[in-house]
Amino acid sequence: MTSPTHTSNNDTLFARAQLTTPGGVNSPVRAFRSVGGTPRFVSRAEGPYFWDADERRYIDYIGSWGPAIVGHAHPEVVAAVQEAAARGLSFGAPTEGEVLMAEEICKLVPSIEQVRLVSSGTEAAMSTIRLARGATGRDAIIKFEGCYHGHADSLLVKAGSGLLTFGNPTSAGVPEDFAKHTLVLDYNDAQQLEDVFARIGDQISCVMVEPIAGNMNLMRATPEFLQTMRRVCTQYGAVMVFDEVMSGFRVALGGAQALYGIAPDMTVLGKVIGGGLPVAAFGGPAALMRHLAPLGGVYQAGTLSGNPVAVAAGMTTLKLIQQPGFYEHLGAQTLKLTQGLSTVAREAGVTFCADAVGGMFGMYFAPEVPVTYATMMACDKTRFNRFFHAMLDAGVYLAPSAFEAGFVSAKHDDAVIEATLAAARIAFAA
Ligand code: HOZ
């Protein structure tokens, strides 16, 4: 399906991009392949909006896939970046900003005693796996079908996100020798997890999970599933890893672990902590983190790790989200959106439901909110694509894939939500 919207500058840019960049994009989901049509090339963004290459304004519900929690181009974040940039872009030597950021993360996420800053969620998840393997001396890892932890080899097995969008859950180019150490289990199946641990628990280095999955659309883990995971990991000496790249500082100030009241051993962070610039992190107990070089034998490094400009954007964002009432407002606006969408769909006679946690939401063309990978896959993707394009035509930008979560910022005020629902009245009827 293609959008009828006139998009001359977007079309021109996309045609040019495809000559020099594979698929015309630097990250696959951006290419609109699963929804069809021409990607919007963003020229600028402010608050809840971005403008495309045709100067058309959209209400943005991806917010850079999560980081833009305080709204695009927040004046304080921009000022902090400008100030930091004026002092120098990158030193490859430690800075005070990194100390402050580590202290802040450890304060906000109590399960983290020590943290290492890196530049992307992929790097953070990959390094966490290496650390878990190095610390336990075991090779096997457990992940869950539909959970995406970035594009490191061991983790690209039955992963969600872009791989799901393109219908090929495991990437080509991942050697069988690597993939064989990755056991893929069913999300939210506590019994299966328990059974596997009973059989080979002493070979498992770590279990990595998105406690609130955002890469097979939004899916909440059941408390029982995470409690079982905590119990078997402790019993068998495996490292329990929460990938909170999406949910961290997004579903609550303390992340999903605060909502569930479950402390993982290791946490992987990204997105919000960079405020739109490349900062990610992984952290946990000092006893585990001491295995990292220069203290221990697990090597991990990066020229741009803890980059001063990126850290300035992240620290300012972390300050803004701690303002009184921030999460109450964010959660209320997200709920207004999802409840409003459900009402509009019901009035239009469309089978649809939605879920929201903090500033993150999922939309499902299904009778009930899915709690398993199989039920998520059964959602009506064709209907989503039609809705996506009708919303786009009406000036609302949703994730261009039925398998991605949506994100609301603190700048999505009542007028923005109302405008979205007005667009949805047209889109559900399309
Ligand atoms: N699949 C990524 C989000 N889950 C997309 C990132 C991007 O394209 O920027």
Side-chain angles (χ1 to χ4, degrees):
M1 185 194 294
T2 53
S3 167
T5 309
H6 180 62
T7 62
S8 59
N9 292 325
N10 294 303
D11 284 329
T12 306
L13 281 171
F14 194 38
R16 277 175 54 198
Q18 287 173 83
L19 298 177
T20 49
T21 304
V25 290
N26 286 306
S27 190
V29 178
R30 299 178 194 178
F32 272 35
R33 284 270 171 126
S34 80
V35 291
T38 304
R40 300 306 187 259
F41 282 69
V42 179
S43 60
R44 67 198 157 92
E46 194 183 322
Y49 304 113
F50 76 70
W51 285 258
D52 73 3
D54 289 319
E55 273 304 302
R56 187 156 187 253
R57 192 185 78 173
Y58 297 84
I59 299 173
D60 180 17
Y61 283 105
I62 69 164
S64 183
W65 302 97
I69 194 165
V70 295
H72 288 291
H74 190 289
E76 285 185 45
V77 178
V78 172
V81 165
Q82 286 169 337
E83 259 171 52
R87 288 195 300 271
L89 298 179
S90 176
F91 314 122
T95 62
E96 185 186 13
E98 293 162 81
V99 181
L100 296 173
M101 178 160 253
E103 288 171 352
E104 197 67 6
I105 291 172
C106 293
K107 178 189 93 185
L108 295 174
V109 186
S111 68
I112 300 181
E113 279 176 8
Q114 289 198 347
V115 65
R116 175 144 296 173
L117 302 183
V118 292
S119 300
S120 73
T122 290
E123 235 186 297
M126 177 187 79
S127 305
T128 302
I129 298 285
R130 189 179 304 140
L131 175 61
R133 285 176 164 155
T136 59
R138 306 170 181 176
D139 287 340
I141 63 173
I142 289 180
K143 74 176 286 291
F144 300 92
E145 186 162 24
C147 283
Y148 176 71
H149 307 289
H151 58 88
D153 282 346
S154 308
L155 293 164
L156 271 188
V157 184
K158 294 199 177 173
S161 194
L163 291 107
L164 273 185
T165 303
F166 300 114
N168 183 9
T170 302
S171 172
V174 175
E176 187 48 41
D177 276 354
F178 293 8
K180 77 177 184 210
H181 296 297
T182 305
L183 273 80
V184 183
L185 304 185
D186 295 326
Y187 195 76
N188 274 339
D189 190 336
Q191 189 58 54
Q192 186 189 48
L193 182 63
E194 188 133 30
D195 292 347
V196 168
F197 263 91
R199 255 191 315 115
I200 53 161
D202 58 350
Q203 297 167 38
I204 309 293
S205 64
C206 67
V207 180
M208 187 175 271
V209 68
E210 290 182 273
I212 293 175
N215 288 287
M216 48 173 157
N217 204 335
L218 176 78
M219 194 191 293
R220 298 174 192 241
T222 63
E224 186 209 356
F225 177 56
L226 297 180
Q227 283 154 7
T228 302
M229 196 179 297
R230 180 62 282 173
R231 181 167 47 74
V232 292
C233 283
T234 304
Q235 186 180 343
Y236 290 89
V239 179
M240 181 181 183
V241 185
F242 273 9
D243 179 342
E244 297 228 46
V245 168
M246 277 193 175
S247 58
F249 306 105
R250 169 54 73 180
V251 299
L253 184 59
Q257 53 195 271
L259 287 185
Y260 284 92
I262 294 176
D265 299 308
M266 292 291 300
T267 301
V268 181
L269 295 167
K271 303 208 186 267
V272 168
I273 60 168
L277 289 185
V279 182
F282 60 105
L288 259 177
M289 294 298 282
R290 73 174 164 73
H291 289 275
L292 278 181
L295 298 179
V298 178
Y299 196 71
Q300 186 281 328
T303 299
L304 291 171
S305 293
N307 173 269
V309 182
V311 162
M315 278 301 281
T316 309
T317 303
L318 290 182
K319 185 188 87 191
L320 290 168
I321 62 176
Q322 290 178 68
Q323 287 172 335
F326 182 89
Y327 284 93
E328 286 79 0
H329 169 69
L330 185 71
Q333 295 310 102
T334 312
L335 214 55
K336 271 181 213 163
L337 172 73
T338 52
Q339 289 178 343
L341 287 172
S342 300
T343 303
V344 172
R346 196 166 48 247
E347 286 164 2
V350 175
T351 303
F352 173 91
C353 58
D355 194 13
V357 197
M360 196 169 165
F361 67 93
M363 299 182 302
Y364 321 92
F365 285 87
E368 278 170 20
V369 174
V371 285
T372 64
Y373 176 80
T375 47
M376 188 66 85
M377 293 306 109
C379 291
D380 189 341
K381 191 167 156 290
T382 311
R383 192 68 188 76
F384 168 82
N385 287 355
R386 211 157 83 217
F387 182 69
F388 169 85
H389 275 286
M391 290 295 270
L392 193 64
D393 289 343
V396 178
Y397 189 88
L398 302 169
S401 161
F403 301 119
E404 299 281 358
F407 300 94
V408 169
S409 82
K411 297 292 183 195
H412 287 71
D413 60 16
D414 286 351
V416 170
I417 303 290
E418 264 316 312
T420 307
L421 297 180
R425 275 182 202 103
I426 301 164
F428 277 122

